[in-house]
Amino acid sequence: MLREIADRETAVEQKDEPHVGYQGEPGAFGEVAAAAHGGIPQGFASFEKLLDALRDGLVDEAVLPMENAVVGAITEALEPLAEAVVGGLELVAVSITSVPVRLALAARPGTPLNEVKRAWSHPAALRQCTHRLAQMGIERVVCYDTAGAAQIIAHDASTDAAVCSRHAAERYGLEVLVEDVSDKEQNGTRFAHLRMADHARAQVPLVFLRTSNMTATGRLDVLTGATLLPLAGSAEFPVRMWVLGADAARLQALAPVRDVQVISLGQPAPHASRSVAPKPGTEPVVKSLPHATARKPPTVVEVGPFRVGGGARAVIAGPCSVESPEQVMRIARQVASCGATALRGGIFKPRTNPYAFQGHGLEALDWLVKAGRETGLPVVTEVMAVDQVKPVAEKADVLQIGARNMQNFDLLRAVGRAGRPVLLKRGAGATVDEWLGAAEYVMASGEARLILCERGIRTFETSTRNTLDVGGMLAARPLTHLPILADPSHAAGRADLVEGLARAAWAAGADGLIVEVHDDPARALSDGEQALVPQRFAELARALALKPDARLPLAQLRAWVDAIDAELAHLVQRRLEVAKVIGDSKRQTGRAVLDPRREAAVRRTYAEALSGSRQVADKLVDLLIEAARAQQSIEE
Ligand code: PEP
Ligand code: MN
């Protein structure tokens, strides 16, 4: 019971408002920005101290003024920020707050305006009222903060004044002599809310850019629609600026790559998907293909335990042709035990030679389905004609359209109406656009669950049956939300190349593979030359990190775990090496070797990946951190 209460209390505590640091004293404009999203403001004497506090975890967030309506870039904040990020501080910009600025001229009560000869304030605030103060014959005195200036004047016996907010003036008992001495009526400052990259995702693109090429950044604001906040150039980098509102990738692409260094506030989160999925939205990429190229989150096609797309990867395996009930059952058991997620097998075979084996037809569908049911794998099989669609759809889980039929439009419409997910192979002579056009036929006829499959295109090369077009597969990726598989078997046409092509496609981000497997390739009724024997398929499955099951012989399971151990040991070795380099870097830049925030971030990474085994995660991190420390202090 007590524990429950204690747990609840910590839970409440964790929901507390964030501590948000700003530069200045209470009453400063930064305080207004810091409180804008319900944070608890905390003042710091300088921007350097503020950034240190953020790095050391004394505050959760820091607000820094970026841009002012009268004077533009607030270099007092932007310079220390540049220095910090160039030095390796990993920050993200989570939001922007615009604070209206009215700069009051305030002095001790009873001070006549004409006796005020000097005005104290933060240099950025003083720049905003250069002309007005000059007109009044008032000299400017720089101090660290607007509200700080009010505080100083309150404790001073002179007739000096402060330039600060009305709120600050009242707070320190000053009298407002002039409501607003800004040179421009509509004055305001934009503050960026910054957090440590470990703790948040960037919402606002903010990038530091420097270059030795004076012309590299011309028209950057026009081209990107971003706000440029220039800083003074150095000997090495005559052009230095902060860019607010243009993402780093865009800038890299626009600026001549050589010579321009772009430091982005906010790297993608480490677990973010590597694939270049289209950004959610509604407009199709290709307007004439509204279904296939709709801008929406990745489509996930799901049939029982089979899932593909949006990060879920599938491996469909089985014979080219279903040859007998026993053959397909044996192969189904073998591929299932290696972690395959669906079973393939042809019952209608598109053959180049009309006298070659044409498939056992609908009779073989029952053999395929039985093997699938028994092994728990959904089944994928090809339909070649409109009249085959209905009987096959009654029993098969996924309908395949073969490469030769990619533009058989009646067939595409018929499978689109069949109520089953469709696997659409790319034609050997089809462009990516034509492939997506074929997908549109199926989708426009009613079937949203479509899987694309690159299976090799015909080129001049004769050493392979086709040429696996990994480039075309990647080119299709940003155009469509649909999952994209690769078929290394039909691309290669020879078994010895299948594993290499499979791994290449997998590494390039394919959502899955379809692979032909046969336990007696020499006697296969079709495509024996390209079939993997079960043993070779097991090796591929291991390389792709599929999960085997207990039906696999013990010796093979051991080979599986041995491969994982070898990889793990290698990774640990690599981690130790990089940890040592990090230690060297910290020493060279005079930074503390121990960083509790980084440690916490590492701990989170392991806890997330090993969510089912917290203890293992904790012990592993302890061990790795201990080892890293030993590495890092070797030369101390
Ligand atoms: C098949 O998958 O067996 C097949 C005939 O493939 P494709 O249509 O890609 O040649
Ligand atoms: Mn085949």
Side-chain angles (χ1 to χ4, degrees), residues 68-96:
N68 172 268
V70 181
V71 298
I74 309 283
T75 51
E76 290 80 1
L78 295 173
E79 280 291 359
L81 182 60
E83 191 171 321
V85 303
V86 169
L89 188 64
E90 289 182 11
L91 300 175
V92 296
V94 293
S95 61
I96 297 285

Side-chain angles (χ1 to χ4, degrees), residues 320 344 349 490 516 527 530:
C320 179
R344 64 150 289 150
K349 293 308 302 177
H490 291 88
E516 288 187 345
D527 284 353
Q530 68 196 36

Side-chain angles (χ1 to χ4, degrees), residues 28-34 36 67-68 96-102 187-191 193:
F29 293 100
E31 189 193 28
V32 178
E67 191 197 18
N68 172 268
I96 297 285
T97 297
S98 293
V99 176
V101 171
R102 282 174 71 80
N187 193 3
T189 297
R190 290 207 285 170
F191 287 80
H193 294 246

Side-chain angles (χ1 to χ4, degrees), residues 264-292:
S264 161
L265 249 64
Q267 306 299 320
H271 305 297
S273 150
R274 300 249 173 91
S275 64
V276 209
K279 294 215 168 58
T282 47
E283 277 284 290
V285 183
V286 182
K287 289 217 166 47
S288 54
L289 304 176
H291 296 90

Side-chain angles (χ1 to χ4, degrees), residues 320 344 349-350 382 400 402-404 425 455 487 490 516:
C320 179
R344 64 150 289 150
K349 293 308 302 177
E382 178 170 349
Q400 176 176 323
R404 291 157 191 81
K425 295 257 193 124
R455 46 79 73 200
D487 173 347
H490 291 88
E516 288 187 345

